[in-house]
Amino acid sequence: MGNTVKRVTDYLRDPYLVRRIQEGFGVKQITVSAPPAADSQEPKASLTASASTGNSTSSSTDVRSDDVIFANGGPKNGKIDWLSSMTKKRRSLKVPGSRTTSPNPASSPPSSPESDTAPEFPDVIVESHSFLDIYFRIATELGYEPFYITFIPCMFWNVDSHVGHHFVIVWCLSMYVGQACKALFRWSRPASPPAVRLEQNPNLETEFGFPSTHAIVSTVIPFFVVYCCFGRYDFPIWIGMTIAVIWWSSVCTSRIYLGVHSVMDIIGGIIIAVLILAAYIPAIDTVNNFVLYSSYSLIVPPSLVVFLLYIYPVDPKCWTMDRGDTGAILGSALGIVMGVAYHGPYPDDLVSGPFTIALPSLLEVWMSLLRFTVGILLLLPTRFVMKLLCFKLLPAIMPTHGVEEVVKRPLVELPYKIITYGAIGFNTAWLAPVVFEICDIARWPNGVAQANACTTDLSLCSF
């Protein structure tokens, strides 16, 4: 039994499996076999197209140098030719050689991209379908910080603050569990080569791969939002589930397509996501009542965050990127929960629907854009001021543990992340709605009275 599990695990972690899946989506690696000399009169470079992953023979093809799109910003001289692709439906791009060499469990974090000891591989030229490449690159952004920086404020200010604070809690829980499991398992990402690393993000080289946090959040978030909205809004459940399935499958597939996660990473993330949903959904009413009405709602969350950071499976004197990200996520969720608790129930929390979904008018769209703009203008100074204060005060009072760089000191960087992102989250949930009311641009201009009048028809509510 144990040997069977190990064989299955090794197979699902095999980078050659990732390569075969990539090739199934049309990704074709073309490695340079013999670059021409500088004084050569040869107009073309001979390239070898590696369309297989085993011992099968490779075919040769000639590709002109001006048909190549450089994905890493161009060659060393910085010159890029954004010209036609090899065919109308395919495109070529240059991918720098990867430093990821071992698929086996690691006892230490992956080497830094700046490491001089990391092995180098030659740059490769990759041919792929333009539509699939663009589609999966867009899909993978649904798991990165810029998406959540935009999505969470929009949810609070323009859609439904009741669903919003539940969204933030389950998102924080998902990310924390995912990052902690990475630190526990310490499994590296698929080796490249043989996998083709299409996403050139230097932070990926300092993070472990199992489980995929993209797979976790892309499973938890869309299905959880559908669960929260079903019954609260009047819509066919099959539409919501279709959107959720497309979201989930696109993000999970994009991580394998881009060569940054193995199949095992994705499966592990999905399993963890299902367990998180199974644990949180039965407790959703209890959590909601505690946050909104408990006299301890301003005391327990900070204590819980400190406890979660204390048990996080990493050397307290060692700084890693995933630890910083975890601090930022916990800080954001803490700030929003504290803001909701301090503000008290929003009008959204006092009504249960079902609401009728209708297309917004031009005035409603304008008001939504105005609220988002005003809110962002409040959050930007918050981040600037808190970052300035933290980096002025924390290095002076916290021990260095022998680390010279301030940004790599755990007792400086971690409190900075929590304090700064906590302030941003608090202002998202408390300050921004207060300013909206003062400026008369609130989504519920008449507060609770209007909320009670909108219990059956969302079209009666002012956006």
Side-chain angles (χ1 to χ4, degrees), residues 243-419:
I243 295 174
V245 168
I246 292 174
W247 182 324
W248 161 72
S249 59
S250 298
V251 175
C252 289
T253 306
S254 72
R255 304 309 287 167
I256 300 177
Y257 172 86
L258 296 173
V260 295
H261 279 296
S262 67
V263 176
M264 188 65 194
D265 298 341
I266 301 300
I267 294 176
I270 294 172
I271 293 173
I272 291 173
V274 171
L275 295 176
I276 291 172
L277 288 175
Y280 186 79
I281 287 178
I284 189 171
D285 291 333
T286 302
V287 173
N288 183 68
N289 292 332
F290 176 82
V291 171
L292 293 177
Y293 304 111
S294 175
S295 57
Y296 297 100
S297 58
L298 294 175
I299 301 174
V300 173
S303 304
L304 181 60
V305 166
V306 172
F307 174 73
L308 291 175
L309 290 173
Y310 177 77
I311 65 173
Y312 190 78
V314 70
D315 183 354
K317 297 183 181 181
C318 175
W319 180 253
T320 57
M321 289 293 297
D322 62 304
R323 192 180 182 192
D325 293 340
T326 303
I329 292 165
L330 289 175
S332 301
L334 173 63
I336 288 177
V337 170
M338 297 282 285
V340 171
Y342 185 76
H343 183 280
Y346 297 87
D348 287 326
D349 297 311
L350 303 176
V351 294
S352 57
F355 300 121
T356 300
I357 299 177
L359 291 176
S361 65
L362 291 178
L363 177 60
E364 292 166 352
V365 172
W366 163 249
M367 293 297 288
S368 297
L369 293 174
L370 183 60
R371 280 192 295 271
F372 184 77
T373 303
V374 172
I376 293 299
L377 292 177
L378 292 172
L379 299 185
L380 289 177
T382 301
R383 184 180 186 278
F384 175 79
V385 172
M386 298 308 298
K387 182 176 181 179
L388 181 65
L389 291 176
C390 287
F391 278 105
K392 287 290 185 182
L393 297 177
L394 292 175
I397 62 177
M398 294 295 187
T400 64
H401 293 301
V403 180
E404 295 297 330
E405 296 183 65
V406 173
V407 296
K408 291 186 178 180
R409 297 178 188 175
L411 294 182
V412 173
E413 187 71 5
L414 199 58
Y416 150 68
K417 294 278 189 180
I418 296 173
I419 293 172

Side-chain angles (χ1 to χ4, degrees), residues 171-184:
W171 167 72
C172 172
L173 180 62
S174 302
M175 292 298 296
Y176 176 84
V177 172
Q179 297 284 31
C181 287
K182 285 186 177 183
L184 280 173

